[in-house]
Amino acid sequence: MKIRCILIDDEPFALNILEDDLLDFAHVEILEKFNSPMEVPDFLQKNEVDLIFSDIQMPEMLGTQFIKNLEKPPLVIFTTAFHQYALEGFELNAVDYLMKPIRKERLAIALKKVEDQLTLREKLNEENEESSILINVEYQKVKLLFNEIIYIEGLKDYVKIYLTDRVHPLMTRSNLRGMESKLPEKYFTRIHNSYIINKQKITGFHQSKVSLSTVELPVGKKYVDSIKALSE
């Protein structure tokens, strides 16, 4: 895994020393160096950055304030010669806080923490991809987690998707058979020509109806046996 990083420090000498040390780590890619944090936001908008090494005490803006101002900052390692900023740095969820002059062994420990966090993030993203579906809603792609979906109602060329945290269902252009083919049998089952339900949301089964929390849905005759099997 490559760690794509940028370096910020108003002292060119400190910047060059950090760059030289990082060159010894093959899995680290230095994208850019900056003498001022003011130049960084535009770069972040145009490039994928995993990690920021930022000095704290800089004339135009404190590194801590700069990170506070970012809406979705990458991972951060603060580098400084001053102890008093340590608490603020960790309150900003910094991965680490390195005192200058930075020892190579200490830098290696900080990079290992970054690597661990990026690996965990990647794993969680993969899990979300495996437990979600993308649908088109009003010309936008919307990701829905499977456990958000209560049931789906077919309406000829459209389907309504009823969700746990929305009063009104989402509508997308599809037929029920098309939706059924995209959903895993592990979580979903067809109960009627017009309905697909999330098995995990079943709260009761009575004759030819299935209860899903506060709603009851009819079960088609050809689906009765499979629904009974779920309730046993």
Side-chain angles (χ1 to χ4, degrees), residues 88-232:
E88 187 178 4
F90 284 115
E91 285 175 347
L92 289 170
N93 294 319
V95 175
D96 215 330
Y97 185 97
L98 302 179
M99 295 298 299
K100 298 176 182 177
I102 300 167
R103 294 180 292 111
K104 188 73 69 69
E105 317 86 75
R106 189 67 184 79
L107 182 58
I109 291 169
L111 287 171
K112 180 63 170 64
K113 291 180 184 178
V114 171
E115 194 173 1
D116 289 345
Q117 288 203 27
L118 291 176
T119 300
L120 177 60
R121 182 186 295 176
E122 191 174 289
K123 183 180 178 182
L124 290 174
N125 286 339
E126 286 174 0
E127 287 175 356
N128 280 339
E129 289 300 325
E130 291 172 3
S131 59
S132 64
I133 185 173
L134 274 178
I135 63 167
N136 292 308
V137 179
E138 296 179 352
Y139 307 104
Q140 291 185 353
K141 292 280 188 185
V142 176
K143 178 187 282 188
L144 298 178
L145 295 176
F146 292 147
N147 63 13
E148 290 181 283
I149 301 171
I150 304 171
Y151 70 99
I152 300 166
E153 180 182 8
L155 300 169
K156 209 170 182 179
D157 296 328
Y158 288 86
V159 297
K160 284 183 177 181
I161 304 174
Y162 294 80
L163 304 168
T164 54
D165 60 348
R166 291 176 185 257
V167 176
H168 302 292
L170 295 180
M171 287 189 68
T172 186
R173 190 174 180 84
S174 175
N175 56 42
L176 210 58
R177 182 176 293 176
M179 285 297 298
E180 189 177 15
S181 68
K182 296 176 184 177
L183 296 168
E185 291 182 19
K186 177 181 178 182
Y187 301 116
F188 296 91
T189 188
R190 186 84 167 258
I191 64 163
H192 190 277
N193 288 339
S194 299
Y195 297 106
I196 295 170
I197 64 167
N198 186 334
K199 297 177 187 178
Q200 295 174 312
K201 306 300 182 182
I202 295 174
T203 56
F205 174 78
H206 178 66
Q207 294 180 349
S208 59
K209 290 183 180 179
V210 168
S211 298
L212 304 169
S213 187
T214 57
V215 67
E216 278 192 343
L217 298 177
V219 176
K221 287 183 179 179
K222 65 180 180 180
Y223 301 102
V224 170
D225 289 341
S226 59
I227 293 301
K228 279 183 178 176
L230 290 177
S231 64
E232 290 173 352

